[in-house]
Amino acid sequence: MIAAGLSNLGVLAQIAEFTPLDTPEVQWAALLPLLILAGGGVVLLTVSSLVKAMAAPGVNAAATVLVGLASIIACVPVWQRVQDPERGPFTAVGGVIGIDGFSILATGLIAASVILAALLLDDYLRREDIDGVEMYALLLLSASGGVIMASANDLIVMFLGLEALSIAIYVMAAMHRRRIESQEAGFKYFIVGAFSSAFFLYGIAMVYGATGSTNLVEIATFLANNLLLRNGVLMLGMALLLVGFGFKVSAVPFQGWTPDVYQGAPTPVTAFMASAVKVAAFAGLIRVFYLALGTYSLDWKPAIYALAVLSMIIGATFAVVQTDVKRMMAYSSISHAGFVLVAVQAGTEKGVTAAIFYLTSYVFMVAGSFGVISLVGRRGDAAHSLDDYRGLSRSRPGLALAFTVFLLAQAGVPLTSGFVAKFNVIAAAVDARSFWLALIAMLASVIAAVLYLKIIVAMYLTGDDAEADDSVAGPKVSIPLPAAAAIGIAIVATLAIGVLPGYLFEVAGDAVPVLIALP
Amino acid sequence: MLDLVWLIPALPLAGFLTLLVLGRRLGEPMAGWLATAAMGGSFLATVAVFLGLLDRPGDDRFFNQVLFEWVPAGNLSVDAGFLVDPLSITMALFITGVATLIHLYSVGYMHGDPNFSKFFLYLNLFAASMLVLVLGDNMLMTFLGWEGVGTCSYLLVSFWFTSEANASAGKKAFVTNRIGDWGFMVAMFLTFATIGSLSYADLISSSMSGEIAAVTATGIALLLLVGAAGKSAQLPLFVWLPDAMAGPTPVSALIHAATMVTAGVYLFVRVNPVVAAAYDWVPDVIAWVGVLTALVAATIAVAQNDIKKVLAYSTISQLGFMFFAIGSGAYVAAIFHVITHAFFKALLFLGSGSVIHGMHDEQDMRRMGGLRRFMPITGATFIVGWLAIAGVPPFSGFWSKDEILLYAWADSKAIWALGSIAALLTAFYMSRQVFMVFFGEPRWNEALPVAAAAPGGNPDAEVEPESEDVAPAEVDEHPEHHVEDPHESPWTMTLPLVVLAGAAIVAGGLNLPFTPDLHFLGHWLEPSLFGNEAHVDATTGTKVFVAGFSVVLALAGVALAALVYLQRRFDSAVIEQRAFAEGWWIDSTFARVVAGPGRQLFDLAAWFDRTIIDGAVNGVASGVRVGGTALRTLQTGYVRTYALAVGLGAVVVGAWFLTRASF
């Protein structure tokens, strides 16, 4: 504390002498992926309100996709620089942003979610008469918040990212003006979200109080070098941070909002929530707990263990009893969050690799799933009951097949990405000697399989011997090209990762986060 | 030539992919021929690999081919690789051989089906998965095939016919198989946790070196038993197999009789050192599961009237024989029986398919009779299959079953006695089937006796009498309804029957008991068994007695059936007990448990979801609605409930951390 006080005095002294402030080194090139997303959002908003031609159908979506692509491309040189053994990971903006394999991969995943969501949104917005560019701009801004959260090397910056991510999502969830459920979803998400942000912020304050810093590196160094005789404040801080993260990743018991919000929000937005938000939140969780608070892993592991068990079992069981496919997927996403927590709980490099692998696979299978759901929902975004899927295999065999692949992947069937992802997670848990957790994870995946089966059966049940003839025909779903492209990308990724997981595994291994101090 | 092993699963996989892309365009019959050619090619590749293996000296018959590193997970590395040894190549030989014949048969059987190409698509995918299962060099590859065959079986049963009944049959298969898969998965991770590897080579060497403690080996073996019981339809997980017969007959023959269901047997022979390293009561558990399955399923088969249901229960019963062979340490006999069973059971199923085809989709044996005059080839080949499964020498089934009973005799007299009763019943129910279908007077113009119809099918017994009441009335109105006589099937269907009948006659020659030199299969499999095969020190007198007793049992079964069903000396109702027809009510008990306590668990979750999670205290909800507050609930829940949950969760999490704190 005295040292901090002295440096504060020093700063005051500098201002008194009117010497120019030391601006931190920003590393603009490394921030390019983030800047493209954020700048893209702002520019898109500005240009669209000035240029009439932007109102033509598809232009905004195409622009958003291009921004997302540009951001991914901008990631490549940064990745190469980080993986270069001579240069390695580094920090930007005075040590508050960490540029390592982890943050770059998370950035890429979030940008990919943006692309998929934009492709799904294009037709959706026209179908639902929601005009304007706001949705796309918010999408990009929210994504930039997610990137900040995933790359933050400082708790305050992470909180900024979290809020930038969330506030945009609150609005997006409520964007469907004529659907009262959408308004409700946004409102609910906002209130509970604000509530949990308070926990998170209070947690930061306590950790700061206990360690004297909000910088992850300094926290880790402090905890490694000092044995806290009275660590109550730190413990409470960790608890509150975990609550904040638990809310964002929708782990039980902080999951209550998830089914309502997933169900009410416009389906492409749900796709984005389920993919990008989860990636950002888990990235933050891993950074804070695995890196900064690693020395206290014996204390946080049991808590995460409990959250993982509850999330997997409750998510899977409640999903089975739903009749609304969007709600089913919401509960299933809770169960998936439990699986990632199993990997985090291992607290090892292997566990983190498994978590990264799982998240990468999950982004594509969940975005693809919600892509199909968005199409089957049709005009009004309301046809989401299990009955609405009856006979889809007849009217739209391709779409039904695609959904089947996503569902099988979520169930963890071999040769899909989901299998390898689950396998890695369980292997990491076994490796960390968490045998019971591994057993429960396997049990949960068996229960969850029933849920996915229910949907698959509904799609392929054309009801030949039913009396009602219209049930045979199946729903009349139109498949616009951009949405088909999004689903196609997701399919290719899901199968490619499933058949040849080695490449992604290497990437995930290179993307294990590291602590980077200021040079 | 051993390098060609990758071709064995790759060819049917290529067939699958081609059909996936071009299936519809190829149409009938090209799609069928393509699939058959892929399968035939795979068989030739297997023969080539077999010859290559044969070239090597006996103790060097192991070949490992690694395609690529599949799951590189830190210190665990799992390869996509194949293990060629006498065991795997034996399995591959008969799988590809039988599969080729069944593909050929299907070209005729599926003629005119609107989903012709889709059928062959699944069939090829199945064959590829099955071959991965037996050729994989680690548990994960086996698991990949294991899941693959399960998925194909599920697809072929429930997607083929889109009706509700089939979907529910598929669901049953799915759930019971998932229980089995869970056992396999846990066994896999237990292995990984113990030896840090999943490859069979490591598993076998650490079991033999004693690196795996007996308690761990016991755990692995018992978990694998759960897995094997699910896939190989053993007690109590067999309920799915009879329902799976709803699929097309070639599927029943290939998947649910000849190949997939023997996966559990294969698995145990593969990991025999683990069983040897386990506590010595583990083999007894396996043997008892097997022999009880054999006996129970045989009694059920006695009272079935559906031509395919008899064969389905017969399959379960024969799988029970293989399991108690494993439990008695008779690994060679188990594989021997797997092979002979694959031939004669595929033959019987294809024969029954030919009958169903010729009878214009009639499956009830009470409406058949005298068919051997109308379908001479089908009849003759079916009779071969019957004699083989009944255990009449010199047909193949006699040799393999006799060997199993001999080992059981040496292991435990109780198991031998129960197994012998099962063998007697086998001869009886198969004779009953043959006499009802191929002998006696033609009955397809007769109406079913309504009273006799009641104990017919098992799970849907309540529904059936109703429909049976309608059937006779229809017959009265349209006398010509069934008058058209049965006809023999086309060559694509009869050729496989003839080939399989030939195999069912001579396959016994693979392992003749007379002199040690004639134990071809025994010598061939020796390197894969690591000396864990039990040694029977029986005198020749004992051997002759056991074999003679088997023959007596088989002939007694046939004679008894002839008395009841040919000469009608006794009323068949005495034998066809209601308990048998209903399958000992095992199925309905399952249904009741799943629908009762199991359902209640889920209902509880649903109630919890509605009441607590959704916070729908109805009075308050309507009160709020009247008040029109902005916070009212439209879909489900109250925000304050969620906030409360978050708050309570935070308190609990905080409390946990505070217990860890020092102040």
PDB file of all heavy atoms in Angstrom, chain B residues 418-444:
ATOM      1  N   LEU B 418     -27.973 -76.475 -17.219  1.00  0.00           N
ATOM      2  CA  LEU B 418     -28.880 -75.452 -17.743  1.00  0.00           C
ATOM      3  C   LEU B 418     -28.646 -75.235 -19.236  1.00  0.00           C
ATOM      4  O   LEU B 418     -29.587 -75.065 -20.007  1.00  0.00           O
ATOM      5  CB  LEU B 418     -28.676 -74.137 -16.976  1.00  0.00           C
ATOM      6  CG  LEU B 418     -29.106 -74.174 -15.504  1.00  0.00           C
ATOM      7  CD1 LEU B 418     -28.785 -72.859 -14.832  1.00  0.00           C
ATOM      8  CD2 LEU B 418     -30.597 -74.460 -15.400  1.00  0.00           C
ATOM      9  N   GLY B 419     -27.372 -75.248 -19.627  1.00  0.00           N
ATOM     10  CA  GLY B 419     -27.062 -75.082 -21.045  1.00  0.00           C
ATOM     11  C   GLY B 419     -27.655 -76.213 -21.862  1.00  0.00           C
ATOM     12  O   GLY B 419     -28.149 -75.994 -22.976  1.00  0.00           O
ATOM     13  N   SER B 420     -27.626 -77.434 -21.304  1.00  0.00           N
ATOM     14  CA  SER B 420     -28.191 -78.565 -22.038  1.00  0.00           C
ATOM     15  C   SER B 420     -29.694 -78.397 -22.222  1.00  0.00           C
ATOM     16  O   SER B 420     -30.241 -78.694 -23.289  1.00  0.00           O
ATOM     17  CB  SER B 420     -27.911 -79.866 -21.281  1.00  0.00           C
ATOM     18  OG  SER B 420     -26.529 -80.062 -21.214  1.00  0.00           O
ATOM     19  N   ILE B 421     -30.360 -77.909 -21.158  1.00  0.00           N
ATOM     20  CA  ILE B 421     -31.806 -77.678 -21.313  1.00  0.00           C
ATOM     21  C   ILE B 421     -32.054 -76.656 -22.415  1.00  0.00           C
ATOM     22  O   ILE B 421     -32.952 -76.808 -23.255  1.00  0.00           O
ATOM     23  CB  ILE B 421     -32.407 -77.201 -19.973  1.00  0.00           C
ATOM     24  CG1 ILE B 421     -32.218 -78.276 -18.911  1.00  0.00           C
ATOM     25  CG2 ILE B 421     -33.878 -76.877 -20.148  1.00  0.00           C
ATOM     26  CD1 ILE B 421     -32.647 -77.850 -17.529  1.00  0.00           C
ATOM     27  N   ALA B 422     -31.222 -75.606 -22.424  1.00  0.00           N
ATOM     28  CA  ALA B 422     -31.376 -74.593 -23.476  1.00  0.00           C
ATOM     29  C   ALA B 422     -31.162 -75.215 -24.846  1.00  0.00           C
ATOM     30  O   ALA B 422     -31.866 -74.885 -25.810  1.00  0.00           O
ATOM     31  CB  ALA B 422     -30.396 -73.445 -23.242  1.00  0.00           C
ATOM     32  N   ALA B 423     -30.204 -76.130 -24.939  1.00  0.00           N
ATOM     33  CA  ALA B 423     -29.952 -76.773 -26.230  1.00  0.00           C
ATOM     34  C   ALA B 423     -31.153 -77.618 -26.663  1.00  0.00           C
ATOM     35  O   ALA B 423     -31.535 -77.630 -27.835  1.00  0.00           O
ATOM     36  CB  ALA B 423     -28.695 -77.644 -26.130  1.00  0.00           C
ATOM     37  N   LEU B 424     -31.746 -78.325 -25.684  1.00  0.00           N
ATOM     38  CA  LEU B 424     -32.944 -79.108 -25.984  1.00  0.00           C
ATOM     39  C   LEU B 424     -34.053 -78.205 -26.501  1.00  0.00           C
ATOM     40  O   LEU B 424     -34.698 -78.476 -27.517  1.00  0.00           O
ATOM     41  CB  LEU B 424     -33.400 -79.839 -24.713  1.00  0.00           C
ATOM     42  CG  LEU B 424     -34.750 -80.540 -24.785  1.00  0.00           C
ATOM     43  CD1 LEU B 424     -34.627 -81.806 -25.605  1.00  0.00           C
ATOM     44  CD2 LEU B 424     -35.291 -80.860 -23.401  1.00  0.00           C
ATOM     45  N   LEU B 425     -34.254 -77.078 -25.798  1.00  0.00           N
ATOM     46  CA  LEU B 425     -35.300 -76.147 -26.215  1.00  0.00           C
ATOM     47  C   LEU B 425     -35.011 -75.583 -27.601  1.00  0.00           C
ATOM     48  O   LEU B 425     -35.918 -75.370 -28.398  1.00  0.00           O
ATOM     49  CB  LEU B 425     -35.417 -75.013 -25.197  1.00  0.00           C
ATOM     50  CG  LEU B 425     -36.055 -75.402 -23.857  1.00  0.00           C
ATOM     51  CD1 LEU B 425     -35.881 -74.281 -22.854  1.00  0.00           C
ATOM     52  CD2 LEU B 425     -37.534 -75.702 -24.061  1.00  0.00           C
ATOM     53  N   THR B 426     -33.718 -75.356 -27.873  1.00  0.00           N
ATOM     54  CA  THR B 426     -33.357 -74.835 -29.192  1.00  0.00           C
ATOM     55  C   THR B 426     -33.835 -75.784 -30.281  1.00  0.00           C
ATOM     56  O   THR B 426     -34.462 -75.369 -31.260  1.00  0.00           O
ATOM     57  CB  THR B 426     -31.830 -74.667 -29.295  1.00  0.00           C
ATOM     58  OG1 THR B 426     -31.377 -73.905 -28.195  1.00  0.00           O
ATOM     59  CG2 THR B 426     -31.447 -73.992 -30.588  1.00  0.00           C
ATOM     60  N   ALA B 427     -33.499 -77.060 -30.100  1.00  0.00           N
ATOM     61  CA  ALA B 427     -33.928 -78.041 -31.095  1.00  0.00           C
ATOM     62  C   ALA B 427     -35.444 -78.057 -31.207  1.00  0.00           C
ATOM     63  O   ALA B 427     -36.005 -78.140 -32.306  1.00  0.00           O
ATOM     64  CB  ALA B 427     -33.413 -79.423 -30.701  1.00  0.00           C
ATOM     65  N   PHE B 428     -36.105 -77.895 -30.055  1.00  0.00           N
ATOM     66  CA  PHE B 428     -37.566 -77.960 -30.063  1.00  0.00           C
ATOM     67  C   PHE B 428     -38.184 -76.777 -30.809  1.00  0.00           C
ATOM     68  O   PHE B 428     -38.984 -76.950 -31.722  1.00  0.00           O
ATOM     69  CB  PHE B 428     -38.092 -78.016 -28.626  1.00  0.00           C
ATOM     70  CG  PHE B 428     -39.584 -78.021 -28.546  1.00  0.00           C
ATOM     71  CD1 PHE B 428     -40.297 -79.186 -28.777  1.00  0.00           C
ATOM     72  CD2 PHE B 428     -40.293 -76.859 -28.288  1.00  0.00           C
ATOM     73  CE1 PHE B 428     -41.676 -79.190 -28.747  1.00  0.00           C
ATOM     74  CE2 PHE B 428     -41.668 -76.859 -28.254  1.00  0.00           C
ATOM     75  CZ  PHE B 428     -42.357 -78.030 -28.482  1.00  0.00           C
ATOM     76  N   TYR B 429     -37.794 -75.542 -30.424  1.00  0.00           N
ATOM     77  CA  TYR B 429     -38.494 -74.401 -31.047  1.00  0.00           C
ATOM     78  C   TYR B 429     -38.149 -74.249 -32.516  1.00  0.00           C
ATOM     79  O   TYR B 429     -38.960 -73.787 -33.305  1.00  0.00           O
ATOM     80  CB  TYR B 429     -38.294 -73.099 -30.249  1.00  0.00           C
ATOM     81  CG  TYR B 429     -36.892 -72.517 -30.203  1.00  0.00           C
ATOM     82  CD1 TYR B 429     -36.301 -71.951 -31.336  1.00  0.00           C
ATOM     83  CD2 TYR B 429     -36.180 -72.468 -29.011  1.00  0.00           C
ATOM     84  CE1 TYR B 429     -35.036 -71.407 -31.267  1.00  0.00           C
ATOM     85  CE2 TYR B 429     -34.914 -71.921 -28.939  1.00  0.00           C
ATOM     86  CZ  TYR B 429     -34.342 -71.392 -30.082  1.00  0.00           C
ATOM     87  OH  TYR B 429     -33.095 -70.861 -30.025  1.00  0.00           O
ATOM     88  N   MET B 430     -36.922 -74.652 -32.889  1.00  0.00           N
ATOM     89  CA  MET B 430     -36.587 -74.547 -34.303  1.00  0.00           C
ATOM     90  C   MET B 430     -37.362 -75.581 -35.116  1.00  0.00           C
ATOM     91  O   MET B 430     -37.819 -75.309 -36.228  1.00  0.00           O
ATOM     92  CB  MET B 430     -35.077 -74.725 -34.513  1.00  0.00           C
ATOM     93  CG  MET B 430     -34.263 -73.500 -34.179  1.00  0.00           C
ATOM     94  SD  MET B 430     -34.883 -71.957 -34.879  1.00  0.00           S
ATOM     95  CE  MET B 430     -34.810 -72.321 -36.628  1.00  0.00           C
ATOM     96  N   SER B 431     -37.523 -76.780 -34.541  1.00  0.00           N
ATOM     97  CA  SER B 431     -38.305 -77.795 -35.240  1.00  0.00           C
ATOM     98  C   SER B 431     -39.751 -77.333 -35.364  1.00  0.00           C
ATOM     99  O   SER B 431     -40.392 -77.481 -36.408  1.00  0.00           O
ATOM    100  CB  SER B 431     -38.264 -79.114 -34.477  1.00  0.00           C
ATOM    101  OG  SER B 431     -36.932 -79.442 -34.194  1.00  0.00           O
ATOM    102  N   ARG B 432     -40.250 -76.751 -34.263  1.00  0.00           N
ATOM    103  CA  ARG B 432     -41.614 -76.229 -34.283  1.00  0.00           C
ATOM    104  C   ARG B 432     -41.774 -75.243 -35.442  1.00  0.00           C
ATOM    105  O   ARG B 432     -42.748 -75.294 -36.199  1.00  0.00           O
ATOM    106  CB  ARG B 432     -41.884 -75.532 -32.945  1.00  0.00           C
ATOM    107  CG  ARG B 432     -43.149 -74.708 -32.895  1.00  0.00           C
ATOM    108  CD  ARG B 432     -43.291 -74.070 -31.517  1.00  0.00           C
ATOM    109  NE  ARG B 432     -44.449 -73.205 -31.430  1.00  0.00           N
ATOM    110  CZ  ARG B 432     -44.416 -71.888 -31.629  1.00  0.00           C
ATOM    111  NH1 ARG B 432     -43.279 -71.302 -31.954  1.00  0.00           N
ATOM    112  NH2 ARG B 432     -45.509 -71.180 -31.531  1.00  0.00           N
ATOM    113  N   GLN B 433     -40.772 -74.363 -35.583  1.00  0.00           N
ATOM    114  CA  GLN B 433     -40.872 -73.369 -36.647  1.00  0.00           C
ATOM    115  C   GLN B 433     -40.870 -74.035 -38.017  1.00  0.00           C
ATOM    116  O   GLN B 433     -41.707 -73.723 -38.870  1.00  0.00           O
ATOM    117  CB  GLN B 433     -39.698 -72.390 -36.546  1.00  0.00           C
ATOM    118  CG  GLN B 433     -39.738 -71.334 -37.635  1.00  0.00           C
ATOM    119  CD  GLN B 433     -38.708 -70.262 -37.423  1.00  0.00           C
ATOM    120  OE1 GLN B 433     -37.552 -70.521 -37.146  1.00  0.00           O
ATOM    121  NE2 GLN B 433     -39.146 -69.020 -37.541  1.00  0.00           N
ATOM    122  N   VAL B 434     -39.947 -74.961 -38.214  1.00  0.00           N
ATOM    123  CA  VAL B 434     -39.853 -75.594 -39.527  1.00  0.00           C
ATOM    124  C   VAL B 434     -41.135 -76.357 -39.852  1.00  0.00           C
ATOM    125  O   VAL B 434     -41.667 -76.284 -40.957  1.00  0.00           O
ATOM    126  CB  VAL B 434     -38.621 -76.516 -39.576  1.00  0.00           C
ATOM    127  CG1 VAL B 434     -38.652 -77.390 -40.823  1.00  0.00           C
ATOM    128  CG2 VAL B 434     -37.354 -75.700 -39.548  1.00  0.00           C
ATOM    129  N   PHE B 435     -41.664 -77.066 -38.830  1.00  0.00           N
ATOM    130  CA  PHE B 435     -42.873 -77.845 -39.090  1.00  0.00           C
ATOM    131  C   PHE B 435     -44.051 -76.925 -39.385  1.00  0.00           C
ATOM    132  O   PHE B 435     -44.874 -77.204 -40.244  1.00  0.00           O
ATOM    133  CB  PHE B 435     -43.191 -78.751 -37.892  1.00  0.00           C
ATOM    134  CG  PHE B 435     -42.124 -79.791 -37.651  1.00  0.00           C
ATOM    135  CD1 PHE B 435     -41.877 -80.287 -36.377  1.00  0.00           C
ATOM    136  CD2 PHE B 435     -41.343 -80.267 -38.705  1.00  0.00           C
ATOM    137  CE1 PHE B 435     -40.895 -81.232 -36.157  1.00  0.00           C
ATOM    138  CE2 PHE B 435     -40.354 -81.214 -38.487  1.00  0.00           C
ATOM    139  CZ  PHE B 435     -40.118 -81.691 -37.209  1.00  0.00           C
ATOM    140  N   MET B 436     -44.138 -75.820 -38.667  1.00  0.00           N
ATOM    141  CA  MET B 436     -45.266 -74.923 -38.896  1.00  0.00           C
ATOM    142  C   MET B 436     -45.196 -74.241 -40.251  1.00  0.00           C
ATOM    143  O   MET B 436     -46.206 -73.948 -40.876  1.00  0.00           O
ATOM    144  CB  MET B 436     -45.324 -73.853 -37.795  1.00  0.00           C
ATOM    145  CG  MET B 436     -45.923 -74.357 -36.487  1.00  0.00           C
ATOM    146  SD  MET B 436     -45.831 -73.108 -35.201  1.00  0.00           S
ATOM    147  CE  MET B 436     -47.341 -72.203 -35.485  1.00  0.00           C
ATOM    148  N   VAL B 437     -43.961 -73.960 -40.702  1.00  0.00           N
ATOM    149  CA  VAL B 437     -43.823 -73.174 -41.927  1.00  0.00           C
ATOM    150  C   VAL B 437     -43.757 -74.063 -43.156  1.00  0.00           C
ATOM    151  O   VAL B 437     -44.454 -73.828 -44.149  1.00  0.00           O
ATOM    152  CB  VAL B 437     -42.576 -72.271 -41.850  1.00  0.00           C
ATOM    153  CG1 VAL B 437     -42.347 -71.554 -43.174  1.00  0.00           C
ATOM    154  CG2 VAL B 437     -42.712 -71.275 -40.719  1.00  0.00           C
ATOM    155  N   PHE B 438     -42.914 -75.105 -43.102  1.00  0.00           N
ATOM    156  CA  PHE B 438     -42.631 -75.826 -44.339  1.00  0.00           C
ATOM    157  C   PHE B 438     -43.362 -77.152 -44.457  1.00  0.00           C
ATOM    158  O   PHE B 438     -43.421 -77.730 -45.518  1.00  0.00           O
ATOM    159  CB  PHE B 438     -41.115 -76.052 -44.458  1.00  0.00           C
ATOM    160  CG  PHE B 438     -40.360 -74.788 -44.695  1.00  0.00           C
ATOM    161  CD1 PHE B 438     -39.706 -74.149 -43.673  1.00  0.00           C
ATOM    162  CD2 PHE B 438     -40.342 -74.207 -45.965  1.00  0.00           C
ATOM    163  CE1 PHE B 438     -39.025 -72.982 -43.886  1.00  0.00           C
ATOM    164  CE2 PHE B 438     -39.655 -73.036 -46.190  1.00  0.00           C
ATOM    165  CZ  PHE B 438     -39.005 -72.414 -45.152  1.00  0.00           C
ATOM    166  N   PHE B 439     -43.882 -77.663 -43.338  1.00  0.00           N
ATOM    167  CA  PHE B 439     -44.560 -78.948 -43.407  1.00  0.00           C
ATOM    168  C   PHE B 439     -46.054 -78.752 -43.163  1.00  0.00           C
ATOM    169  O   PHE B 439     -46.518 -77.626 -42.972  1.00  0.00           O
ATOM    170  CB  PHE B 439     -43.945 -79.925 -42.393  1.00  0.00           C
ATOM    171  CG  PHE B 439     -42.546 -80.354 -42.761  1.00  0.00           C
ATOM    172  CD1 PHE B 439     -41.458 -79.553 -42.458  1.00  0.00           C
ATOM    173  CD2 PHE B 439     -42.335 -81.538 -43.443  1.00  0.00           C
ATOM    174  CE1 PHE B 439     -40.178 -79.935 -42.815  1.00  0.00           C
ATOM    175  CE2 PHE B 439     -41.044 -81.928 -43.792  1.00  0.00           C
ATOM    176  CZ  PHE B 439     -39.959 -81.129 -43.488  1.00  0.00           C
ATOM    177  N   GLY B 440     -46.791 -79.834 -43.128  1.00  0.00           N
ATOM    178  CA  GLY B 440     -48.217 -79.755 -42.860  1.00  0.00           C
ATOM    179  C   GLY B 440     -48.990 -79.198 -44.050  1.00  0.00           C
ATOM    180  O   GLY B 440     -48.493 -79.151 -45.177  1.00  0.00           O
ATOM    181  N   GLU B 441     -50.223 -78.794 -43.759  1.00  0.00           N
ATOM    182  CA  GLU B 441     -51.096 -78.309 -44.826  1.00  0.00           C
ATOM    183  C   GLU B 441     -50.951 -76.805 -44.982  1.00  0.00           C
ATOM    184  O   GLU B 441     -50.746 -76.098 -44.005  1.00  0.00           O
ATOM    185  CB  GLU B 441     -52.553 -78.647 -44.471  1.00  0.00           C
ATOM    186  CG  GLU B 441     -52.847 -80.124 -44.498  1.00  0.00           C
ATOM    187  CD  GLU B 441     -52.481 -80.757 -45.831  1.00  0.00           C
ATOM    188  OE1 GLU B 441     -52.902 -80.214 -46.887  1.00  0.00           O
ATOM    189  OE2 GLU B 441     -51.765 -81.782 -45.849  1.00  0.00           O
ATOM    190  N   PRO B 442     -51.103 -76.294 -46.209  1.00  0.00           N
ATOM    191  CA  PRO B 442     -51.103 -74.839 -46.400  1.00  0.00           C
ATOM    192  C   PRO B 442     -52.247 -74.207 -45.604  1.00  0.00           C
ATOM    193  O   PRO B 442     -53.359 -74.742 -45.608  1.00  0.00           O
ATOM    194  CB  PRO B 442     -51.321 -74.677 -47.893  1.00  0.00           C
ATOM    195  CG  PRO B 442     -50.923 -75.984 -48.487  1.00  0.00           C
ATOM    196  CD  PRO B 442     -51.218 -77.029 -47.456  1.00  0.00           C
ATOM    197  N   ARG B 443     -51.981 -73.118 -44.934  1.00  0.00           N
ATOM    198  CA  ARG B 443     -53.016 -72.512 -44.099  1.00  0.00           C
ATOM    199  C   ARG B 443     -53.270 -71.057 -44.453  1.00  0.00           C
ATOM    200  O   ARG B 443     -53.930 -70.357 -43.705  1.00  0.00           O
ATOM    201  CB  ARG B 443     -52.598 -72.586 -42.621  1.00  0.00           C
ATOM    202  CG  ARG B 443     -52.652 -73.983 -42.032  1.00  0.00           C
ATOM    203  CD  ARG B 443     -52.423 -73.940 -40.542  1.00  0.00           C
ATOM    204  NE  ARG B 443     -51.092 -73.445 -40.220  1.00  0.00           N
ATOM    205  CZ  ARG B 443     -50.018 -74.237 -40.069  1.00  0.00           C
ATOM    206  NH1 ARG B 443     -50.125 -75.535 -40.206  1.00  0.00           N
ATOM    207  NH2 ARG B 443     -48.849 -73.728 -39.764  1.00  0.00           N
ATOM    208  N   TRP B 444     -52.730 -70.580 -45.595  1.00  0.00           N
ATOM    209  CA  TRP B 444     -52.863 -69.139 -45.817  1.00  0.00           C
ATOM    210  C   TRP B 444     -54.258 -68.717 -46.216  1.00  0.00           C
ATOM    211  O   TRP B 444     -54.549 -67.545 -46.268  1.00  0.00           O
ATOM    212  CB  TRP B 444     -51.819 -68.608 -46.796  1.00  0.00           C
ATOM    213  CG  TRP B 444     -51.638 -69.423 -48.047  1.00  0.00           C
ATOM    214  CD1 TRP B 444     -52.317 -69.295 -49.198  1.00  0.00           C
ATOM    215  CD2 TRP B 444     -50.683 -70.456 -48.248  1.00  0.00           C
ATOM    216  NE1 TRP B 444     -51.857 -70.191 -50.128  1.00  0.00           N
ATOM    217  CE2 TRP B 444     -50.853 -70.916 -49.568  1.00  0.00           C
ATOM    218  CE3 TRP B 444     -49.703 -71.047 -47.444  1.00  0.00           C
ATOM    219  CZ2 TRP B 444     -50.067 -71.939 -50.106  1.00  0.00           C
ATOM    220  CZ3 TRP B 444     -48.935 -72.051 -47.979  1.00  0.00           C
ATOM    221  CH2 TRP B 444     -49.121 -72.499 -49.298  1.00  0.00           C
TER     222      TRP B 444
END
